[in-house]
Amino acid sequence: MVTATATETATTVEEANAESFRRLDAADPWVVDVAPARDVIPGYDANLVLTSGAPMAWEEYVGGQREALIGGALFEGLAETREEAIAGFASGAIRIGACHDYDAVGSLAGIYTASMPVFVVENRDLGNVGFCNFYEGKEPRRLNYGCYDEGVHERLLHVNTVLAPVVGEAIRRRGGIPLKSLIARALRMGDEVHSRNAAASMLFNREILPAVLDMVHDDVPGVRETMVHLAENDYFFLRLSMAAAKVSADAMVVPGSTLVSAMAFSCRGFAIRLAGLGGRWFEGPPPIHEGKLFAGHTEDEITWMGGESPITETVGLGGFAQACALTLQEYQGGSAEVMIERNLQMYAITHGESSSYRIPLFDFRGTPTAVDARKVLATGITPVMDVGLAGRDGGQIGAGIIRAPRECFELALAALETSA
């Protein structure tokens, strides 16, 4: 995380917010590598499992998030049985960490283990680095949705040994790939790069194509299989948009700023960080949700098991660019009119508009960017986020939108006032 030096400390909230927004808007995220977490994330120990949300003790994790942690321990070989994994977490022999504390972000339960490959994204404006783990594939039963069985194990192993090495090699051969311009173009093609990533995934595939062709010539194993996987998975790019958002948001840290630098949730509730208070979390109840369920599922099945993909909304993407992706109504419900109105609402609670991410439907107006906690309380409008919905028995059962609870912003501003 980037922190301000004494000479950079702003003297007023408005100055702090202006500097925080400037850093966010100037961020220049590039994906430069794919490598195992233990090799690139500083301080990553062999017995560490990362998960989404504000840090909690093992006993506090319940439901799908608890199951995902157990599955991560089993996959990594930290335990031979479910009972051994539970005992390991309880004793501290297997450690739990919060993704954000390691400059990382995780989708849903957000499980990282030492051997799992991660995207390495650097902000070439300030030099900070962030990480996001690799997409498991479109099968509804995934580790990040609280599932672990033989099929999940095999898919994770396939990512480790075939898919990630090929993608990492292609990125390195290209000398890194700039993500900001790619995301900006994807918005013009119908994505909001949270719940819709079809255009961005295709644009990424095009970026690595020259390297891929060279790799075919060099007989690098697994290239065809990997490219077929990428072509079939429209959500592949989500992990790149999350890592790009993470390094951009981490650049926002300026003492005194009331702008939100992270939003995330766990199985227990929702939480935010303020740019003016660094790594402190301010927690509230679970988010308010509405959405569309897959056939055969009902509202009472919806459960919370973590999620840090709202980092995209933190930087003006996702629900804050919803009007770019009106086709999402088929996936997550609602109507085009409601999506447009939600997107317009976000201008009332943000500091400014992105100079890079623009909404064609609004005459290419910049996306509403950088939630100001003061404006949330003053207007009563809370941030909207596009998400997948998890079921209590594991797996994805639908999609929709959530809104952050007001309590987080009240607590954060109270703490900021006390620290002044």
Side-chain angles (χ1 to χ4, degrees), residues 69-405:
L69 284 164
I70 293 169
L74 293 172
F75 174 75
E76 193 63 27
L78 299 175
E80 293 296 325
T81 66
R82 173 186 173 82
E83 291 71 26
E84 286 183 15
I86 292 171
F89 282 120
S91 70
I94 305 174
R95 294 173 50 223
I96 301 173
C99 293
H100 272 281
D101 288 345
Y102 289 81
D103 297 326
V105 278
S107 175
L108 269 295
I111 301 299
Y112 286 62
T113 67
S115 68
M116 288 182 180
V118 299
F119 289 106
V120 181
V121 174
E122 65 178 30
N123 174 12
R124 293 196 171 177
D125 180 56
L126 289 183
N128 58 305
V129 178
F131 311 93
C132 190
N133 51 2
F134 212 84
Y135 181 55
E136 296 175 53
K138 58 187 177 183
E139 166 63 44
R141 290 184 61 78
R142 304 194 291 273
L143 182 63
N144 70 320
Y145 273 92
C147 300
Y148 186 73
D149 54 28
E150 185 175 348
V152 173
H153 176 91
E154 291 303 316
R155 286 190 292 275
L156 290 170
L157 195 60
H158 190 62
V159 166
N160 281 19
T161 59
V162 179
L163 306 181
V166 169
V167 175
E169 176 66 14
I171 290 170
R172 291 188 294 272
R173 288 189 182 213
R174 293 291 287 161
I177 295 171
L179 296 177
K180 194 170 192 176
S181 57
L182 192 159
I183 292 170
R185 185 170 187 185
L187 296 184
R188 299 194 297 271
M189 295 170 67
D191 282 355
E192 38 73 89
V193 297
H194 186 167
S195 279
R196 191 180 192 276
N197 286 272
S201 295
M202 287 189 290
L203 291 171
F204 176 78
N205 293 348
R206 190 183 72 168
E207 286 293 323
I208 64 172
L209 182 59
V212 167
L213 294 175
D214 290 342
M215 291 161 68
V216 170
H217 180 269
D218 295 342
D219 292 324
V220 174
V223 174
R224 183 184 185 280
E225 188 176 353
T226 299
M227 292 310 294
V228 169
H229 174 85
L230 267 59
E232 292 178 344
N233 285 277
D234 289 346
Y235 275 93
F236 178 82
F237 189 82
L238 173 59
R239 307 308 177 86
L240 285 161
S241 66
M242 288 172 61
K246 172 62 175 169
V247 294
S248 302
D250 276 356
M252 297 173 68
V253 175
V254 175
S257 173
T258 60
L259 304 187
V260 174
S261 59
M263 297 189 287
F265 54 99
S266 69
C267 56
R268 293 291 188 181
F270 197 87
I272 67 168
R273 282 176 168 178
L274 286 191
L277 293 171
R280 292 180 61 183
W281 287 103
F282 300 93
E283 301 176 60
I288 302 160
H289 74 277
E290 58 183 85
K292 181 178 179 180
L293 300 179
F294 300 155
H297 294 285
T298 56
E299 283 279 329
D300 64 322
E301 294 180 62
I302 296 174
T303 189
W304 305 110
M305 58 179 65
E308 293 176 336
S309 52
I311 195 68
T312 54
E313 278 81 6
T314 305
V315 304
L317 298 168
F320 287 59
Q322 203 171 87
C324 290
L326 297 183
T327 55
L328 274 177
Q329 62 190 288
E330 182 180 11
Y331 176 57
Q332 65 184 30
S335 67
E337 291 78 13
V338 169
M339 293 173 72
I340 291 166
E341 179 56 33
R342 283 192 197 120
N343 205 150
L344 288 170
Q345 278 187 341
M346 297 302 99
Y347 287 103
I349 60 171
T350 47
H351 178 84
E353 300 176 14
S354 173
S355 64
S356 299
Y357 305 141
R358 299 181 180 276
I359 302 175
L361 189 64
F362 297 162
D363 294 326
F364 291 92
R365 184 179 183 182
T367 64
T369 302
V371 173
D372 187 335
R374 299 174 305 172
K375 293 183 179 181
V376 171
L377 298 188
T379 64
I381 299 170
T382 53
V384 65
M385 293 151 272
D386 297 328
V387 297
L389 298 173
R392 61 171 174 248
D393 297 323
Q396 183 178 4
I397 64 168
I401 65 103
I402 59 172
R403 284 189 180 268

